[in-house]
Amino acid sequence: MQTIETPRVVIIGAGLAAVYTALKLAPLPVVMISPEQLGSGASSAWAQGGVAAAMARTDSPEAHADDTMRAGAGSVLREVAEFVTKAAPEHILDLSELGTGFDRTADGGFVQSREAAHSAARVVRVKGDQAGSEIMRALIEEVRRTPSVQVVEGAEAVGLESDGAQVTGVYLTSAQASGAGPMLLRGAAHVLATGGSCGLYAQTTNPARIRGQGIGMAARAGARIADAEFVQFHPTAIDVGEDPTPLATEALRGEGAVLIDCDGHRFMPDIHPDAELAPRDTVARAVYVQMQAGKRPALDTRHAIGAEIVTQFPSVTEACKRNGVDPVTDPIPVTASAHYHMGGVETDLAGRSSLTGLWVCGEAASTGLHGANRLASNGLLEALVFARSCARDIATQVSLENASEVELCLVQGGNSVDVKDVTTLRQVMTEHVGVVRDESGLRRALTEIAALEARHSDSDLFLNMTATATLIAAAALLREESRGAHCRSDFPDPIPGPGRRSALTLSEALALRDRIAKDVT
C-alpha cells in the first residue's frame, strides 16, 4: 500500500464545516479530500432555511440558547448552547464580509424569518430558500483564492488509521470506480467533516453520498459516538416520489403556511398550541400519523404566501413544478423524511473527539447543542462555530511549515457496493428505525443489518454505513423512553427528570447486536 506523509492538515469533507475549517486554518497548509467537485453532494448546499442568529436589538443570544434548550427536550448541554448562540452574530457578519448575499431590508438590516420552536424571527436567509447554496458559493470562491488550501477532488475517504486511541492517517481511494485497494495519507492533524447519516433511510432529504460513512469510519477507529438514536425527520419534505425528497423549507410555515389533510382540515392546532411552528419532532409525528391513516397531508401556502412563493421561495417552486404541482394554486403534498442526525462523533468545545489527532465538526459531530431535537436552522450555525473551534485548537498544536501540494496516485476504488443491499439497508432503517420505533422492530433491524454486513466484509464503504446504522438502532433500543425525535411506541413517555445523553462505542453496539442474534437462534 502506498503511504504519503504531509505536514498539511487533512480535512475530510466538502461541505460548510470542511470549507470553513480550511479558511479558518489559513495560513496553515491544508489538503481537503472531496469525493466530488467541491461543494456538490454536500447537505450544506441544500440547506434552505438559513442560519439562526440573534441579530435584532429585540433578541439576544440568551433567548436563542433558551429556545435551543427547550427544543432539545432536556438533552442539550447549556454550556454548548450558550457558546454557540453567543458566537452566532459574528459568524453572520463574517459570512457577509466573505461575500454571502443575505437578504437585506431597505435600511440594510438582515431579513430574518421565524421557524419552528423559535420565540423570535432570527433565521438569516438568502432569497427565501437558498441560504445553503449561497453560503457555499461565497466560501468556495474564497477557498479557491486561498493559497494555503489544496483541494483534491475525486478522492474518497474509506477508513482511518488508528490504534484505538489515536488517529494517524486516512485511507483514500478513487471515488469514481471500483478496482484495487486504498492508499494511506498521514497529515499533521485530521478533521472529519463528512456530513450526517440520513441517507441511510429510504426516505431522506439528504444527498446520495450522505449515508453515515464519516461517523462509521470514526466508530470503526474506536471513537465514542453520542446521541446516535436522535434522528430528526423533517415534516414537510415534498411527497412526489423523488429520491432524495425535495424540501419545503420551514420558513414557509414561518410565513403562515398551514398543514391540512386530504379533506382540507388544518390538523396541527388540535395537537400543539404553536400549531405548525411546534418543535419539528411534534410536527413530523403528526404528519407521519396522517400518512399512516391515509389522509395525505399537504402544506397549504395559497392564502399566506400566494403567487409570491415563486419569487420568495424559488427552490420550492421549482421542485413542485417539475412534479406537476403548482404551489400557487395547489396544496403541496408532504411527508416526514429523514433530515438531520443530532448524533455523531462525540466532541468537546474544541472539536476534539475521543481519539487523539481527530477533530470532528458539522453534522458528523455530536457536540451537545441539539439534544433530542435540533432547533431549526441551528445546523449550519453549529457547523460554522465548531469549524472555527477545530481550526483554533489545531493551530495551537501544529506549526506553520512550507508544504508542497500532496500528489495522490489514487487507484480505482476497491470498495464497490451492491446497490441492492444499500437499498435494502435503507428500507430496513425506514421501516424499523424511523419516526416511530419499538423493541421488536429495533431488534429486527439489528439482525437484518448484521446479515447485510456479513455479505460485505471486504467493503469499507458498506461497513461504514452498517456501523452507523448499527449504532443508531442499538442506541434507540437502549433508550426506553420517548424524547424529542426519538419516539418509542412501547415507551411513549419521557423518563422523569432531566434528559441524559447517550454514548456508545461500536464494540458495545456490536456486542448488543450479537446478544440479540443469540436470542433469535
Side-chain angles (χ1 to χ4, degrees), residues 210-280:
I210 309 301
R211 290 181 178 157
Q213 296 96 321
I215 295 169
M217 276 192 289
R220 292 175 67 203
R224 191 163 55 245
I225 309 302
D227 289 346
E229 66 271 36
F230 293 127
V231 177
Q232 186 171 76
F233 296 84
H234 199 291
T236 54
I238 305 174
D239 187 22
V240 286
E242 287 189 13
D243 179 22
T245 49
L247 194 62
T249 174
E250 201 157 273
L252 292 163
R253 284 175 278 142
E255 295 294 323
V258 297
L259 285 161
I260 59 174
D261 63 19
C262 59
D263 299 318
H265 172 66
R266 183 184 175 195
F267 55 85
M268 280 309 301
D270 303 332
I271 297 169
H272 195 280
D274 290 338
E276 284 77 12
L277 292 179
R280 275 191 182 171

Side-chain angles (χ1 to χ4, degrees), residues 109-140:
F110 291 96
V111 173
Q112 294 190 273
S113 299
R114 185 183 174 196
E115 295 187 359
H118 285 274
S119 59
R122 66 164 68 94
V123 179
V124 181
R125 67 190 200 188
V126 179
K127 296 179 183 176
D129 59 7
Q130 298 182 49
S133 61
E134 170 62 10
I135 292 169
M136 288 300 294
R137 178 204 62 77
L139 294 185
I140 289 171

Side-chain angles (χ1 to χ4, degrees), residues 94-105:
D94 186 35
L95 291 177
S96 295
E97 290 175 3
L98 289 169
T100 302
F102 289 116
D103 293 348
R104 300 280 190 154
T105 61

Side-chain angles (χ1 to χ4, degrees), residues 32-230:
M32 297 183 65
I33 306 300
S34 174
E36 299 174 284
Q37 184 177 359
L38 191 60
S40 64
S43 295
S44 307
W46 292 23
Q48 291 185 352
V51 184
M55 305 298 291
R57 290 193 184 96
T58 54
D59 200 4
S60 69
E62 292 77 19
H64 186 180
D66 288 343
D67 289 348
T68 299
M69 296 289 294
R70 276 193 295 272
S75 295
V76 175
L77 299 180
R78 182 80 200 191
E79 177 188 22
V80 177
E82 292 177 350
F83 175 73
V84 171
T85 58
K86 183 178 179 181
E90 62 190 273
H91 285 286
I92 298 298
L93 297 176
D94 186 35
L95 291 177
S96 295
E97 290 175 3
L98 289 169
T100 302
F102 289 116
D103 293 348
R104 300 280 190 154
T105 61
D107 61 1
F110 291 96
V111 173
Q112 294 190 273
S113 299
R114 185 183 174 196
E115 295 187 359
H118 285 274
S119 59
R122 66 164 68 94
V123 179
V124 181
R125 67 190 200 188
V126 179
K127 296 179 183 176
D129 59 7
Q130 298 182 49
S133 61
E134 170 62 10
I135 292 169
M136 288 300 294
R137 178 204 62 77
L139 294 185
I140 289 171
E141 286 185 7
E142 186 66 19
V143 161
R144 300 293 189 195
R145 292 191 294 265
T146 304
S148 61
V149 180
Q150 177 190 1
V151 179
V152 177
E153 296 172 336
E156 186 159 23
V158 295
L160 298 173
E161 182 184 47
S162 169
D163 61 3
Q166 180 177 11
V167 168
T168 48
V170 55
Y171 294 100
L172 304 175
T173 188
S174 169
Q176 305 308 316
S178 61
M183 61 155 293
L184 176 62
L185 176 64
R186 291 176 175 149
H190 304 84
V191 181
L192 191 67
T194 51
S197 309
C198 287
L200 286 171
Y201 288 81
Q203 199 158 276
T204 179
T205 64
N206 284 197
R209 283 194 186 273
I210 309 301
R211 290 181 178 157
Q213 296 96 321
I215 295 169
M217 276 192 289
R220 292 175 67 203
R224 191 163 55 245
I225 309 302
D227 289 346
E229 66 271 36
F230 293 127

Side-chain angles (χ1 to χ4, degrees), residues 293-332:
K295 301 291 282 184
R296 195 65 193 276
L299 185 67
D300 192 348
T301 66
R302 295 172 296 179
H303 302 294
I305 303 171
E308 292 183 1
I309 192 172
V310 176
T311 54
Q312 289 187 10
F313 300 95
S315 295
V316 174
T317 301
E318 197 278 327
C320 288
K321 289 194 171 181
R322 70 172 177 258
N323 287 286
V325 177
D326 184 350
V328 176
T329 59
D330 306 318
I332 303 169

